[in-house]
């Protein structure tokens, strides 16, 4: 297998430098979740294509740590590679840091571990250095990609573009003023902005250096007197530079950042150790660093009024395309079966992608469309390929998770589509997932409530059947930015290393419970929720959610006897809203079919 040869090449690199262990993280120089192909060394070495995972290689073993979203996928892609899969979070699986600590401890002092410090955040570096202090091992800065990856792709540099205030709802000048107020509040002299979407939000610009993420490889620097944007010079036009200069921002070459950072002396620097890499931290080591989560001073997770209105607008447009897709794919699968031809998962994904591209104002996809039929639906982040995608049949479930980028908004929606007859087990499981999704969306809660407090609402119907899903229930979503945006989330496991602020009006968060039966099928239903004010009274400020996503559920998969009257009421209100939104924009056949699947559910008769 190719991965075996690549791992041996890495071991040759290690031996030449006296390394006993090498760690390859899935990251770029800005702590990004999704990264440019230039940084995908872990994928190159292992063949595992998931977006999360850490590779550890020693003289005689190799292991990959990844989370529950990728257990099935990683198990398949690592087969025959000699790389052991470590399923993070499972009771019998050691945390990678504990595993390394045991290795280094048993080897004695002087055990050398190679890490590319540009691709490790300060938070991760601190954990490694604690292992070094405890065991006497040495953490050595190395860059194996230069020697073990001969056909490494070039780093992407695409044009940077400005967003008008009609989309951002706030000028760059106003955002910088707010950041400077935070410098005063925290007693800092300057701020280094390292997370890419934070940089884009602050300077009201967007790029396309990372596939599906409208960001540019960049740094930001703000002090009381000036603001700087460091970006590759080939990405910036004179027009963009001139417009930013009028807002008080100097545009400088990206490669100048390290030099300018080294020139900072006797300054209190505000920064976020979850995205600032260890290499930069070592450069500015002589200054006092004030580590605070970027959400404390860069408020992109709280959408303003203009951003909320754009989110509503584009979710309607996006929802219409997805609704039409659902009607069309059912027809196509039925017809292809009758005519003896084949339509695949990949074909379905391309069909939906094209329908999105046709929307005026669409700026592309927000992630690679997941189109997973039957057993493939149990692979949480499955992605079909052109040649190997499963053929669709007029039976069972097709899980489609997709999203788009628009002028001011980002969408993310999952629907599990019934292509034909379903078993009672499938209907039961679909209804369990739907119940949890509806219950979370219906929550009313006091100010100060966090996502961890509400996650149980989505999981309860599933937990009551002693079942579960191995991913969070929801993540934040950007405004024409990353589809996965912190800091808020719905999840039941409390991570002390992750800052979870209280839910607040203006936050957009996904609501996506699921069930995955390996070898059989997967079910996930996802809407995006906007946190809104409900009522203020003597008890406090109460918040709730407005559902942004406007696409009908799978009526043929719902066991109505399992629904409460309140859940039926929510469904009826939602369905009627969808029908009124779209009836005038569909042809007659589509309109009749939409009416059929959005008819009201009957509530139970009072005795």
């Amino acid at each position: 297998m190719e991965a075996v040869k690549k791992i041996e090449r890495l071991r040759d690199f290690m031996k030449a430098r006296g390394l006993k262990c090498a760690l390859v993280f899935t990251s770029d120089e800005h702590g990004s979740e999704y990264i440019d192909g230039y940084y995908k060394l872990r994928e190159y070495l292992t063949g595992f294509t998931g977006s999360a995972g850490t590779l550890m290689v020693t003289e005689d073993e190799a292991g990959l740590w990844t989370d529950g979203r990728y257990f099935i996928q990683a198990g398949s892609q690592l087969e025959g590679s000699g790389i052991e899969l470590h399923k993070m979070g499972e009771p019998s699986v050691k945390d990678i840091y504990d595993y390394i600590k045991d290795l280094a401890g048993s080897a004695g002092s002087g055990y050398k571990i190679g890490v590319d410090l540009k691709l490790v955040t300060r938070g991760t570096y601190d954990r490694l250095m604690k292992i070094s202090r405890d065991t006497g091992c040495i953490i050595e800065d190395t860059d194996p990609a230069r020697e073990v990856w001969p056909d490494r792709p070039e780093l992407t540099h695409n044009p940077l573009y400005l967003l008008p205030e009609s989309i951002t709802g706030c000028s760059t000048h106003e955002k910088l003023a707010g950041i400077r107020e935070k410098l005063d509040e925290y007693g800092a002299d300057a701020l280094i902005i390292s997370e890419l979407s934070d940089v884009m939000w602050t300077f009201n610009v967007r790029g396309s250096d990372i596939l599906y993420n409208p960001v540019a490889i960049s740094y930001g620097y703000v002090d009381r007197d000036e603001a700087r944007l460091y970006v590759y010079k080939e990405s910036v036009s004179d027009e963009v530079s001139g417009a930013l200069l009028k807002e008080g921002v100097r545009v400088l070459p990206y490669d100048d950042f390290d030099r300018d950072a080294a020139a900072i002396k006797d300054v209190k620097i505000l920064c976020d150790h979850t995205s600032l890499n260890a290499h930069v931290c070592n450069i500015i080591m002589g200054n006092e660093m004030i580590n605070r989560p970027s959400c404390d001073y860069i408020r992109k997770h709280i959408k303003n009024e203009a951003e909320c209105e754009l989110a509503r607008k584009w979710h309607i447009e996006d929802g219409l395309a997805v609704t039409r897709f659902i009607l069309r794919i059912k027809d196509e699968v039925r017809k292809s079966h009758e005519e003896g031809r084949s339509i695949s998962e990949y074909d379905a994904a391309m069909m939906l992608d094209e329908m999105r591209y046709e929307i005026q104002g669409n700026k592309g996809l927000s992630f690679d469309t997941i189109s997973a039929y039957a057993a493939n639906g149990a692979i949480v982040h499955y992605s079909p390929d052109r040649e190997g995608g499963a053929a669709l049949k007029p039976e069972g479930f097709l899980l489609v998770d997709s999203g788009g980028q628009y002028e001011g908004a980002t969408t993310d929606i999952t629907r599990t589509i019934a292509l034909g007859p379903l078993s009672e087990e499938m209907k039961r499981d679909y209804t369990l997932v739907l119940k949890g999704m509806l219950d979370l969306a219906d929550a009313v809660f006091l100010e100060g409530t966090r996502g961890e407090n509400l996650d149980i609402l989505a999981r309860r119907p599933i937990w009551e059947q002693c079942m579960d899903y191995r991913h969070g229930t929801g993540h934040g979503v950007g405004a024409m930015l990353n589809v996965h945006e912190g800091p808020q989330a719905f999840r039941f496991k409390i991570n002390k290393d992750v800052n979870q602020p209280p839910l607040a009006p203006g936050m957009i968060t996904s609501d996506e419970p699921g069930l995955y039966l390996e070898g059989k099928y997967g079910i996930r239903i996802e809407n995006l929720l906007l946190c809104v004010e409900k009522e203020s009274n003597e008890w406090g400020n109460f918040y709730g959610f407005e559902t942004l996503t406007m696409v009908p559920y799978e009526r043929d998969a719902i066991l109505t006897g399992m629904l409460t009257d309140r859940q039926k009421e929510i469904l009826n209100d939602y369905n009627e809203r969808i029908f009124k939104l779209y009836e005038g924009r569909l042809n007659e056949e589509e309109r009749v079919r939409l009416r059929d699947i959005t008819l009201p559910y009957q509530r139970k008769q009072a005795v």
Side-chain angles (χ1 to χ4, degrees), residues 22 29 99 112 123 175 236 292 374 412 414 424 555 560 572:
E29 297 180 29
Y99 197 96
K112 291 176 71 173
K175 291 178 179 180
V236 187
R292 293 191 70 95
D412 183 4
T414 307
E424 287 301 299
R555 193 178 190 92
T560 56
N572 290 342

Side-chain angles (χ1 to χ4, degrees), residues 452-466:
E452 295 106 323
N453 306 131
L454 300 184
D455 184 88
I456 179 60
L457 297 177
R459 291 186 195 264
R460 182 170 57 189
I462 297 168
W463 279 2
E464 286 174 348
Q465 303 302 313
C466 296

